[in-house]
Amino acid sequence: STITITPDNKYLISGSYDKSIKIWNFEKKTCLNSIDDAHSSILFEKLLSISPITSLVVTRDSQFFISGAEDGTMKLWEIQTQQFHEFEECHRGYFISLKEYRLGSVTSLAITSSSRVLVSCSDDLTIKIWDLNQRKCVHTFTDAHHSIENLQNR
């Protein structure tokens, strides 16, 4: 599970292993909206997977938040409407051995003070720098760490 608060202290946003994202009114302590199956993958009109939410970060203007999921995907959400845009070429899974595959789970997200650049890290052992307006990766640090846990704790 993961949680964040908007810089204006209006909203608390939570993400969970139950695969949902909830937007709360922080002052009134009430749930405003629940986005079930927030990171579902659909291909050819068939549901492929629904992934737990592993990380969240809010833009400095408190208008948007970014969610990361266990399947390595990331989405940019508008807080008021819950409309989203997906990031291209997110984190990928990899084989540990011939028999074991690990998802490229997004383990942590951080955003610059300008809200123009997003940084993500993943179990795929990469750190990625993103142009937030275009939702495109501009740089990847490969083999960044043996194991990446949380950007905010470093």
Side-chain angles (χ1 to χ4, degrees), residues 4 12 31 38 49 67 76 84 91 93 98 108 113 115 128 146 148:
T4 189
L12 180 143
C31 183
S49 68
S67 60
L76 173 70
F84 68 88
H91 294 278
L98 291 176
S108 187
S113 59
S115 292
K128 293 189 178 221
H146 178 65
I148 298 173

Side-chain angles (χ1 to χ4, degrees), residues 78-94:
E78 189 174 341
I79 292 176
Q80 292 296 319
T81 66
Q82 289 82 54
Q83 291 182 330
F84 68 88
H85 301 279
E86 295 189 48
F87 284 76
E88 295 181 16
E89 302 176 22
C90 294
H91 294 278
R92 304 284 181 220
Y94 60 97

Side-chain angles (χ1 to χ4, degrees), residues 111-124:
I111 197 164
T112 62
S113 59
S114 68
S115 292
R116 292 183 186 158
V117 177
L118 174 73
V119 180
S120 63
C121 66
S122 168
D123 284 343
D124 67 4

Side-chain angles (χ1 to χ4, degrees), residues 30-123:
T30 57
C31 183
L32 300 174
N33 199 357
S34 180
I35 306 166
D36 297 325
D37 304 335
H39 275 259
S40 58
S41 298
I42 298 174
L43 184 63
F44 303 119
E45 299 180 10
K46 293 190 178 191
L47 183 64
L48 294 180
S49 68
I50 303 169
S51 190
I53 310 306
T54 55
S55 52
L56 295 167
V57 68
V58 178
T59 58
R60 302 290 186 227
D61 63 5
S62 299
Q63 300 297 307
F64 300 92
F65 69 92
I66 298 94
S67 60
E70 191 173 80
D71 64 1
T73 60
M74 299 185 320
K75 293 182 179 181
L76 173 70
W77 300 84
E78 189 174 341
I79 292 176
Q80 292 296 319
T81 66
Q82 289 82 54
Q83 291 182 330
F84 68 88
H85 301 279
E86 295 189 48
F87 284 76
E88 295 181 16
E89 302 176 22
C90 294
H91 294 278
R92 304 284 181 220
Y94 60 97
F95 284 96
I96 296 172
S97 67
L98 291 176
K99 295 181 180 180
E100 188 176 353
Y101 183 79
R102 176 177 277 186
L103 293 173
S105 179
V106 178
T107 55
S108 187
L109 296 168
I111 197 164
T112 62
S113 59
S114 68
S115 292
R116 292 183 186 158
V117 177
L118 174 73
V119 180
S120 63
C121 66
S122 168
D123 284 343

